Amino acid sequence: MGRKHWAGIALALVAIALSLWVGLSTAKAAPQAKKLDSVTLQLKWVTQSQFAGYYAAKALGYYKAFGLDVNIKVGGPDITPEQVVASGQADIGLDWLPSLLATRDTGTNLVNIAQVFARSGMTELTWKSSGITSIAGMQGKTVGVWCCGNQFELYAALTKHGMDPEHNKGVKIFNQPFDMNAFLKKRIDAAAAMTYNELAQVLETKNPATGKLYQLADLNVFKLQNEGTGMLEDGLFAQQDWVDGNRDVATRFIAASDRGWIYCRDHAAACTNIVLKNGPTLGKGHQTWQMNEINKLILPNTLGIGVMPAAAFKQTAAIALKYKVIKKASSAKAYDAQLSKAALQYLRNHVKGIDVYGKTWKPAAVSVTPGGK
């Protein structure tokens, strides 16, 4: 074998070794993908625009960008978010504050970590033709209200005007199903309705007298927030032990969720479409109305999105105590305001110029569609 041949083999071996060395050094230099922290969120109800911010945060990659892998579990009539979180089947839940306080009252150590809704969406409706122009005017009338923890805002308003709804004195309480049929058929004088749901159901219905949809002009809408008896609704909560061991995860989750809600504020139509892709049960028209109304409950917030208003907490807790939703007074330990504040700072640090207050935001003028389609 000649020298040239040996020289060729030697050069080939050097080339192979060099190739292997470059490959190994490149592999070592390549950044390793950071493992995402898993979080399971339990919703209060089925997929709808009420939860748009969470679906948007997942669909747009906000959770992933903040190092999270989030699983969203839908709710329903047979699901109590507090029970799901307390049993460890979800890390974070979403429910109305009175329900959280009631669960804490039984000894379960759950804590509110962000108060997403800054105001109540509960209303009581009457027909303009009824002549009932105020809560006080419901004296002696048949008044519809939902049971099972949803009645207390109205009870407080009726009591404020001299009625005793718990004992049907001065007013007749009607246990209203979760629909508006009794009101539409005028079997009751007043009906409970959320601004973002049942109010729209009435407006999506044809008036048999005209053949056209009912209008807001046909209704008196009494917002219990304006009556001074509003109670805080959708808030995020978790077990205290989980919070203590996962404050960074909780902060990032709240921050990414806030970012999702801010996106929905500024891109309501696109956000509605994200909801529809995740759960097309309710029509686009109904979801569009709901998205606009949900934004009104969240923003503006002078404290910043998700921060608990201390006065609103005290009012909710006081009403809950008065109507025996809870047996003992709730303290500020029921919520952790530092997490929501830290989340806002985290969000500002990572998304420059983001508006977390929504002071200049204006709701859209949304027209309902027949049947919410």
Side-chain angles (χ1 to χ4, degrees):
M1 189 177 291
R3 291 181 179 178
K4 290 184 179 180
H5 189 73
W6 279 111
I9 292 173
L11 286 172
L13 289 172
V14 169
I16 291 169
L18 182 61
S19 175
L20 288 170
W21 180 83
V22 170
L24 287 170
S25 62
T26 302
K28 289 180 181 178
Q32 297 296 314
K34 185 178 178 181
K35 184 179 178 181
L36 301 178
D37 293 307
S38 296
V39 176
T40 297
L41 170 66
Q42 176 62 64
L43 300 180
K44 177 178 175 59
W45 198 245
V46 298
T47 303
Q48 55 185 20
S49 293
Q50 181 180 358
F51 315 114
Y54 312 108
Y55 285 111
K58 186 174 176 69
L60 298 172
Y62 296 160
Y63 287 133
K64 188 174 182 180
F66 286 0
L68 302 171
D69 177 18
V70 175
N71 173 37
I72 300 175
K73 297 176 70 172
V74 299
D78 300 322
I79 295 174
T80 303
E82 286 83 358
Q83 291 178 0
V84 175
V85 173
S87 65
Q89 297 175 66
D91 303 300
I92 297 173
L94 183 76
D95 206 349
W96 290 9
L97 183 57
S99 297
L100 175 63
L101 296 181
T103 306
R104 280 180 60 86
D105 208 44
T106 65
T108 304
N109 201 10
L110 299 175
V111 59
N112 175 294
I113 60 174
Q115 185 54 48
V116 183
F117 285 13
R119 53 197 62 86
S120 168
M122 177 74 79
T123 75
E124 195 73 14
L125 308 181
T126 65
W127 297 106
K128 278 282 176 65
S129 57
S130 71
I132 304 171
T133 59
S134 66
I135 297 291
M138 294 180 188
Q139 284 268 4
K141 305 297 183 181
T142 301
V143 176
V145 64
W146 298 310
C147 74
C148 313
N150 298 299
Q151 70 269 40
F152 302 112
E153 291 178 74
L154 178 63
Y155 276 20
L158 294 170
T159 301
K160 186 177 177 180
H161 293 284
M163 291 164 266
D164 182 359
E166 286 188 284
H167 302 99
N168 272 335
K169 292 182 179 179
V171 64
K172 183 179 180 182
I173 295 298
F174 173 80
N175 189 6
Q176 182 181 325
F178 287 94
D179 61 48
M180 299 305 286
N181 291 335
F183 182 70
L184 288 166
K185 294 176 181 177
K186 301 188 177 178
R187 292 175 181 166
I188 57 177
D189 300 302
M194 302 306 294
T195 55
Y196 53 84
N197 199 350
E198 290 78 15
L199 175 56
Q201 289 178 27
V202 174
L203 300 175
E204 292 161 358
T205 303
K206 282 187 179 181
N207 180 346
T210 65
K212 298 179 180 180
L213 297 181
Y214 283 112
Q215 304 293 311
L216 277 172
D218 297 321
L219 300 167
N220 294 311
V221 181
F222 307 110
K223 294 183 178 181
L224 299 185
Q225 179 74 29
N226 297 341
E227 297 292 330
T229 62
M231 299 174 80
L232 290 172
E233 293 161 1
D234 289 27
L236 296 169
F237 63 88
Q239 290 194 69
Q240 185 67 64
D241 289 347
W242 184 87
V243 172
D244 292 341
N246 296 277
R247 292 192 72 84
D248 176 62
V249 174
T251 298
R252 285 183 279 126
F253 176 84
I254 298 166
S257 300
D258 289 348
R259 191 178 180 187
W261 282 117
I262 291 167
Y263 176 85
C264 290
R265 176 195 71 197
D266 298 334
H267 306 86
C271 207
T272 302
N273 286 333
I274 289 173
V275 173
L276 289 167
K277 287 179 182 178
N278 282 276
T281 303
L282 297 174
K284 185 174 184 178
H286 189 86
Q287 296 279 29
T288 299
W289 170 281
Q290 187 170 122
M291 184 75 260
N292 192 48
E293 294 300 320
I294 291 295
N295 278 333
K296 292 180 187 179
L297 301 182
I298 298 173
L299 298 156
N301 188 333
T302 56
L303 300 175
I305 182 172
V307 178
M308 173 73 77
F313 171 82
K314 289 178 182 177
Q315 177 171 295
T316 298
I319 294 172
L321 182 61
K322 181 175 182 178
Y323 290 99
K324 301 177 183 177
V325 180
I326 53 179
K327 295 178 181 178
K328 55 184 181 292
S330 287
S331 70
K333 291 182 180 179
Y335 67 94
D336 187 338
Q338 296 309 310
L339 274 174
S340 53
K341 292 175 182 177
L344 290 183
Q345 189 58 53
Y346 186 94
L347 189 54
R348 291 191 198 96
N349 291 344
H350 289 79
V351 185
K352 300 302 180 184
I354 193 165
D355 172 19
V356 300
Y357 302 102
K359 294 177 183 178
T360 62
W361 175 79
K362 301 294 182 186
V366 176
S367 298
V368 295
T369 52
K373 295 180 180 178

